[in-house]
Amino acid sequence: MIEFLKAVFLGTLQGLTEFLPISSSAHLRIFPELFGWDDPGAAFTAVIQIGTELAVLIYFRKDIWRIASMWLKSLFNAEYRGHVDARMGWYVIVGSVPIVVLGVALKDIIESDFRNLWVIGTMLIVLGVVLGVADRISRNNRTQADLGLKDAVLMGAAQAAALIPGVSRSGATISMGRFLGFDREAATRFAFLLAIPAVVGAGIFQLGDIPNGDNAYGWGPTITATVVAFIVGYASIAWLLRYVSTKSYTPFVVYRVLLGAGVLILVATGVMNA
């Protein structure tokens, strides 16, 4: 029962933080350590993220269906190849390549060295500052319709940095989008779409590792956490899209810096183990 209660908490934490630019994987590493729980493990983290991506699939189902169907049509009919939705399909595919390649190549490092709290605390601060600078200096004059292949490649490369817990998949992608001049809603929407292949692929890739000793939870708690993450994540998407339409990312920047500094202080003083 205790494991299931922990799973509910971790699923809630995942759902709340996945779409905010504050790094869900960092939170899933920090809070169990703070409470004296075992590290849930990289596989557990990857699998329960499927729950939040299912929320994305449902929330953006009309957009995804439109993009996917137009992309498929463009494969067989040249007249559709210039359509914005057909191009968007290719942008998501191309933008997903960096994180897929690096995720497979660096699997062992991701599951060990990258989960060190010194690394996570530092990344929370550094990428928080990057997000703040990007949001402040952005030209803010491009929409999703202006997205090009170069933009997709650069935003995909930025997303790959999120293999390091503390970076934040959405935070890195949104930061690059803002540097490229996209408005907040366009950068956020593309970040959500770009994350789908990466997160679902990573979750499926790690499914076989759940029963292994490297993870603190078996199938029951993992499934529970995934369901909770889906429910909470769905609500988080709607809130974030409304928020970014009118407000800046400054509160997230401040939170990241404070959390990162707190983690580094607690590790340095021996309160938490790195």
Side-chain angles (χ1 to χ4, degrees):
M1 181 58 69
I2 295 298
E3 282 199 351
F4 278 94
L5 291 175
K6 290 179 180 178
V8 169
F9 174 83
L10 294 174
T12 302
L13 192 63
Q14 164 65 26
L16 287 172
T17 58
E18 171 66 20
F19 304 117
L20 305 181
I22 56 177
S23 182
S24 62
S25 56
H27 283 73
L28 289 175
R29 174 70 179 90
I30 292 167
F31 282 88
E33 182 67 33
L34 190 61
F35 297 152
W37 303 348
D38 292 332
D39 180 0
F44 175 86
T45 301
V47 171
I48 70 169
Q49 286 176 341
I50 293 177
T52 42
E53 286 314 303
L54 180 59
V56 172
L57 289 171
I58 294 176
Y59 191 91
F60 290 105
R61 60 191 180 280
K62 293 180 180 178
D63 292 347
I64 293 169
W65 175 255
R66 192 183 65 248
I67 291 168
S69 59
M70 187 58 68
W71 178 77
L72 284 171
K73 288 179 182 177
S74 74
L75 295 179
F76 305 101
N77 193 327
E79 75 173 279
Y80 294 115
R81 289 173 189 167
H83 194 281
V84 62
D85 288 330
R87 289 188 284 111
M88 183 63 70
W90 283 114
Y91 296 156
V92 171
I93 293 171
V94 171
S96 299
V97 171
I99 198 169
V100 171
V101 172
L102 290 175
V104 173
L106 301 176
K107 182 177 183 294
D108 291 340
I109 299 176
I110 293 168
E111 293 178 351
S112 55
D113 296 355
F114 284 175
R115 295 183 70 77
N116 185 283
L117 288 178
W118 285 111
V119 174
I120 292 173
T122 301
M123 289 298 100
L124 282 167
I125 296 171
V126 171
L127 269 294
V129 172
V130 169
L131 176 61
V133 171
D135 196 39
R136 183 172 293 274
I137 71 172
S138 178
R139 297 190 308 275
N140 205 45
N141 60 354
R142 303 178 70 191
T143 66
Q144 193 164 314
D146 299 313
L147 188 72
L149 182 60
K150 179 182 177 182
D151 303 315
V153 171
L154 290 172
M155 293 172 79
Q159 177 182 240
L163 291 169
I164 305 173
V167 170
S168 169
R169 184 178 296 100
S170 62
T173 311
I174 290 168
S175 294
M176 180 58 74
R178 295 294 284 154
F179 276 127
L180 294 170
F182 288 94
D183 62 39
R184 294 188 186 99
E185 185 172 1
T188 304
R189 279 182 172 271
F190 187 66
F192 285 175
L193 293 174
L194 190 60
I196 294 171
V199 174
V200 174
I204 293 173
F205 184 66
Q206 296 272 27
L207 280 175
D209 292 339
I210 290 299
N212 297 336
D214 291 340
N215 296 282
Y217 304 99
W219 278 115
T222 301
I223 292 172
T224 300
T226 303
V227 172
V228 173
F230 162 73
I231 296 170
V232 177
Y234 190 88
S236 297
I237 298 174
W239 178 85
L240 182 60
L241 288 176
R242 286 197 302 271
Y243 178 89
V244 299
S245 298
T246 57
K247 296 179 175 64
S248 76
Y249 293 109
T250 301
F252 304 121
V253 172
V254 173
Y255 175 78
R256 287 182 62 108
V257 172
L258 291 177
L259 178 62
V263 168
L264 295 179
I265 291 171
L266 290 175
V267 172
T269 56
V271 176
M272 295 172 66
N273 296 317

